[in-house]
Amino acid sequence: MGKKPDLAALFGATASDTFLGLDACTDLASIDASSAFIGAPCATPYGSVGAYAQNGPASLREAIASLTANIERHNFDLGGPTFPEGTKRAVDCGDLEWSETDFATNRATIRQAISTIVSRGVVPILVGGDDSIPIPMLDAMGDTGKTYTILQIDAHIDWRESHMGETQGLSSTMRRASEMDHIEQIIQVGARGIGSGHSSDFDDARKWGVKFFTGPDVHRNGLKPALDQIDEGANVILCIDIDALDPSIAPNTIGRAPGGLSYYQLLELIEGAAKRGTIAAVDFVEILPEVDVDGIGGLTVSRLVAATMGLIARQQARL
Ligand SMILES: [Mn+2]
């Protein structure tokens, strides 16, 4: 058996430290872009597992490195180049500093970064890290004075009041969101199988007004019923746990569950959100390269991030 052929060499990619070879942004206060890839390796991990998804952001940069020479080529997922003429490119802001012990500071760091990025009119694409990193991001969105719809795409509902004595962890993300005054509506897509949630958590969420479209619902009825729940013109925050995807295409996650979404189903949800409303912020979380299978999950998720950047660039340029 010989060495695996190298796609990067085939395409003439050059080494890059940034996602898709995008410009690096080192000063958030002067950021000028359509969207911003920003890595958050850790916020509030549970003691039993620690910061298990800390290598997620780096893994996506590596997964798409073979395409750095192709950024201007036709992206058939988008019907044109990822960043067509008349649009602004995304930038890569690197990874935020974090601590394995000081979770309050991790949250404050994420909150400050997101608030600064959003104040510059740039859409943050926060890349985790585990599913606790969206909590400070969602909190920061309140600084704009606007109200938001969350479209959460996840195999799990994340409505625990607390887990292992921690209220800011990855099983409580949507319950914490529901407590924020600027979160008007929550739509949750893709829940399936057994997670950490109890039936009482599901009841609480429905009482709050969450609209659920479970994995079985999506496979029976398609995605239109979920997308129809987004009010026209809404400001939409996409909270994407990659375990919403089927493990056959995204094995790089701890909470694998059979019966997940396909690549194009997730893309359709992101496109649909941009069509019905305006994408205001995005997170991709639970990315765990250590359990990936031959890079398949990194491939899937990095391409989805690139497509999301293209959709946001179009949205901002009103294309
Ligand atoms: Mn999940």
Side-chain angles (χ1 to χ4, degrees):
M1 293 272 282
K3 224 177 108 199
K4 273 198 223 171
D6 181 359
L7 188 69
L10 182 69
F11 285 159
T14 48
S16 171
D17 296 334
T18 64
F19 184 83
L20 202 52
L22 292 165
D23 286 347
C25 170
T26 50
D27 178 21
L28 295 184
S30 60
I31 189 170
D32 181 22
S34 47
S35 64
F37 183 111
I38 182 154
C42 176
T44 317
Y46 294 128
S48 60
V49 283
Y52 60 78
Q54 61 181 279
N55 296 316
S59 74
L60 296 195
R61 294 188 183 96
E62 195 186 327
I64 206 158
S66 62
L67 293 183
T68 56
N70 296 44
I71 192 165
E72 287 171 355
R73 305 290 170 84
H74 199 87
N75 185 337
F76 283 87
D77 290 343
L78 301 171
T82 301
F83 304 104
E85 219 181 300
T87 65
K88 269 187 200 175
R89 282 191 179 186
V91 292
D92 186 338
C93 301
D95 290 354
L96 295 171
E97 283 186 32
W98 61 283
S99 155
E100 221 146 349
T101 50
D102 185 354
F103 307 152
T105 297
N106 291 342
R107 292 192 293 269
T109 302
I110 294 169
R111 194 191 187 292
Q112 179 61 49
I114 297 298
S115 188
T116 304
I117 290 169
V118 170
S119 76
R120 300 278 305 169
V122 179
V123 177
I125 300 178
L126 187 68
V127 177
D130 73 29
D131 207 349
S132 65
I133 68 155
I135 298 176
M137 176 185 87
L138 294 167
D139 188 33
M141 297 304 286
D143 293 353
T144 64
K146 295 179 185 168
T147 55
Y148 294 92
T149 292
I150 293 177
L151 178 59
Q152 185 239 26
I153 307 166
D154 194 325
H156 312 99
I157 67 168
D158 300 346
W159 265 80
R160 292 291 299 271
E161 174 52 40
S162 72
H163 182 59
M164 299 180 170
E166 177 57 70
T167 60
Q168 303 296 314
L170 63 95
S171 296
S172 305
T173 310
M174 286 301 114
R175 191 184 284 267
R176 296 291 87 80
S178 76
E179 295 162 351
M180 298 177 190
D181 289 340
H182 56 285
I183 303 301
E184 249 183 349
Q185 195 193 16
I186 303 178
I187 303 160
Q188 300 194 224
V189 180
R192 59 192 194 275
I194 303 171
S196 70
H198 301 277
S199 297
S200 60
D201 297 321
F202 184 48
D203 292 341
D204 289 350
R206 282 187 298 186
K207 263 180 229 149
W208 185 89
V210 175
K211 297 289 188 302
F212 282 99
F213 300 88
T214 65
D217 290 339
V218 167
H219 290 296
R220 272 188 212 113
N221 307 320
L223 296 167
K224 190 171 181 299
L227 289 168
D228 284 348
Q229 289 295 326
I230 301 173
D231 290 336
E232 294 282 350
N235 298 307
V236 183
I237 302 172
L238 296 168
C239 290
I240 302 170
D241 180 330
I242 69 156
D243 66 29
L245 292 160
D246 194 71
S248 58
I249 57 165
N252 52 335
T253 197
I254 197 170
R256 293 175 185 167
L261 302 182
S262 71
Y263 178 84
Y264 282 116
Q265 283 176 320
L266 184 44
L267 195 56
E268 190 181 330
L269 283 168
I270 301 167
E271 270 171 344
K275 233 174 245 164
R276 300 275 304 184
T278 303
I279 298 174
V282 186
D283 68 71
F284 285 88
V285 297
E286 297 290 330
I287 303 157
L288 202 52
E290 291 82 358
V291 298
D292 203 354
V293 178
D294 200 23
I296 293 292
L299 176 71
T300 301
V301 178
S302 64
R303 300 286 175 105
L304 282 166
V305 171
T308 303
M309 288 174 166
L311 290 167
I312 293 169
R314 284 162 172 75
Q315 161 188 292
Q316 287 204 343
R318 302 185 186 284
L319 293 181

